[in-house]
Amino acid sequence: MRDTKPTPVTVLGAGYSGLTTAAELTLRGYRVNIRASSLGYQPPLTIVGTQSRRWPGSATSNSTFDNDDLLDREIDTIQRLVALSSQSDLTGVSVVPALKVSRSEGNTWNRRPIADTARLRAATNMQRSLRMMATPKKVEDADIALFEAEGYKSVDETQVVKIETGKYFRYLIDLVTSAGGNIELGTNFTAEDIKDLQKAGHVVNCLGNAAGSIGGAKGEYYSNPGEVVIWKDCPRDFGFYVMDDDKDAGVMQMPDGSLYLSTAAAAGPDQTKTTIRDCDGVCRTLFGAALSIESSGVGLESWKTDRPMRKGGFNIGASKGPHGFVSVDNSGHGGAGVAASWACAARAVDALASQLPGHGGW
């Protein structure tokens, strides 16, 4: 890829937001330097759908964002992810069918109506694209009947994006480095370090919860903990995702045959037990029995999550400093960091381009 922009851009942070922003910059012809302490939080699996249509939404994202604005970002992002799913062996991105189950009546995926005709059309077309790419195409009727027999009064089917995080991160890094960019890990920044970088070049702040305390971004940032558990022996094969909406619990078989369990269990000594217990209903349905740490003898991995939240919602913007370089913020995504990632990256790069005379945003 030809380098068309004269000044390289430094991206601070190498999680989902940082790597996606670096990739977006690269696609637009910028040469990128990624600097971070590590690759950020890497759950083995990430599930992406339209949280803006599911109230209150996974990870309480809807309590922070405007639903219509979030949906617009989700649509833009999922369109990119659908394209990447055509090379799933390389990107780690695929599309799978998904069930939302609840013991309450009428608890469907798309509970929130969309008043704007153009937005509804865009959301509908996006979902049709997901339906076309889904493998398998649908959940078997026999599996749906199992959830109904377990006592779930709502069993609603849609399609979602499944991301194998390690493979996806490698794809994004390769995209950046193959175009002449670089990535430097193991750097722990201070606020003064970042101020020095901003005096010497264009900088994009994708530091998550540290975006304010170290990166200098405005607003109040706070943590929203949860957990992903990887149960090393999945009792049966199944090719769809399940969201128990009553427990905010997600269950999916991993590509290696293990079992992914994700909840918003509170941090503490019993977090892992709570995560597994929150998935009891789904596990009883699929496997005939709940999982048990004490009696199973099966190993597990526990991935503690922290979805960086900001009381003001998304923080995306740019300003030019006295030294002539542009500082960009791309943070405050809490609970929608993956579902809105490409849209937020695009807006951050637009903000950068708007401050650079003679360079369009496209």
Side-chain angles (χ1 to χ4, degrees):
M1 182 178 295
R2 184 168 58 91
D3 180 19
T4 60
K5 308 295 192 294
T7 304
V9 179
T10 298
V11 174
L12 303 177
Y16 267 100
S17 295
L19 292 179
T20 306
T21 301
E24 180 69 19
L25 284 161
T26 300
L27 291 171
R28 299 203 201 181
Y30 295 89
R31 185 159 56 87
V32 181
N33 302 321
I34 305 168
R35 299 186 65 182
S37 59
S38 68
L39 284 177
Y41 174 60
Q42 295 184 73
L45 199 68
T46 298
I47 302 296
V48 179
T50 52
Q51 296 184 47
S52 56
R53 302 287 310 276
R54 173 186 168 247
W55 183 262
S58 182
T60 66
S61 62
N62 295 86
S63 66
T64 306
F65 306 126
D66 172 83
N67 283 310
D68 287 339
D69 174 67
L70 177 55
L71 178 58
D72 291 342
R73 296 173 195 247
E74 290 169 336
I75 291 170
D76 289 345
T77 297
I78 291 174
Q79 285 174 340
R80 294 284 191 99
L81 294 174
V82 167
L84 291 172
S85 73
S86 66
Q87 304 179 73
S88 59
D89 288 344
L90 175 66
T91 65
V93 180
S94 59
V95 181
V96 296
L99 296 180
K100 177 182 178 181
V101 300
S102 172
R103 299 184 188 277
S104 300
E105 299 275 3
N107 192 352
T108 60
W109 282 105
N110 296 330
R111 293 177 63 186
R112 187 180 69 84
I114 300 175
D116 182 80
T117 301
R119 182 173 288 115
L120 177 60
R121 183 182 300 113
T124 301
N125 286 335
M126 175 205 67
Q127 201 64 50
R128 287 170 179 161
S129 295
L130 289 171
R131 194 175 304 143
M132 290 174 67
M133 296 300 294
T135 303
K137 290 299 180 186
K138 63 184 294 295
V139 180
E140 295 292 337
D141 292 342
D143 284 316
I144 293 175
L146 288 175
F147 284 97
E148 293 171 342
E150 177 63 23
Y152 289 103
K153 296 179 180 179
S154 297
V155 183
D156 190 41
E157 184 170 356
T158 191
Q159 300 79 34
V160 296
V161 177
K162 180 181 76 173
I163 301 176
E164 299 172 55
T165 306
K167 189 179 289 188
Y168 183 60
F169 276 20
R170 173 47 54 190
Y171 169 79
L172 295 176
I173 291 169
D174 288 347
L175 188 155
V176 171
T177 56
S178 65
N182 61 67
I183 179 168
E184 177 185 315
L185 300 177
T187 302
N188 294 303
F189 296 104
T190 66
E192 290 303 314
D193 292 334
I194 292 175
K195 289 177 182 178
D196 289 341
L197 287 171
Q198 291 168 336
K199 294 175 184 177
H202 306 312
V203 175
V204 186
N205 177 359
C206 299
L207 289 174
N209 265 345
S213 59
I214 296 176
K218 304 299 182 184
E220 183 177 345
Y221 291 79
Y222 62 99
S223 297
N224 180 19
E227 184 182 36
V228 168
V229 170
I230 306 299
W231 189 262
K232 301 307 288 186
D233 181 25
C234 184
R236 60 158 281 198
D237 293 333
F238 64 105
F240 54 92
Y241 175 69
V242 185
M243 165 62 71
D244 185 333
D245 202 59
D246 302 332
K247 299 292 186 179
D248 200 14
V251 179
M252 176 89 208
Q253 187 175 18
M254 295 278 293
D256 65 359
S258 55
L259 185 65
Y260 162 96
L261 310 169
S262 175
T263 77
D270 293 326
Q271 185 179 37
T272 298
K273 289 182 179 180
T274 302
T275 293
I276 294 170
R277 186 170 60 248
D278 285 346
C279 298
D280 279 355
V282 174
C283 291
R284 280 196 305 269
T285 302
L286 291 174
F287 314 135
L291 305 178
S292 171
I293 296 178
E294 291 79 6
S295 61
S296 69
V298 175
L300 59 82
E301 300 173 15
S302 171
W303 295 71
K304 308 302 184 184
T305 68
D306 185 3
R307 305 170 178 98
M309 307 290 282
R310 179 176 178 270
K311 285 192 173 181
F314 294 113
N315 184 13
I316 299 175
S319 61
K320 184 176 287 188
H323 295 83
F325 297 110
V326 180
S327 296
V328 183
D329 287 313
N330 183 13
S331 59
H333 309 143
V338 185
S341 57
W342 281 101
C344 290
R347 295 186 190 197
V349 179
D350 288 345
L352 169 67
S354 71
Q355 300 289 325
L356 300 176
H359 293 300
W362 307 105

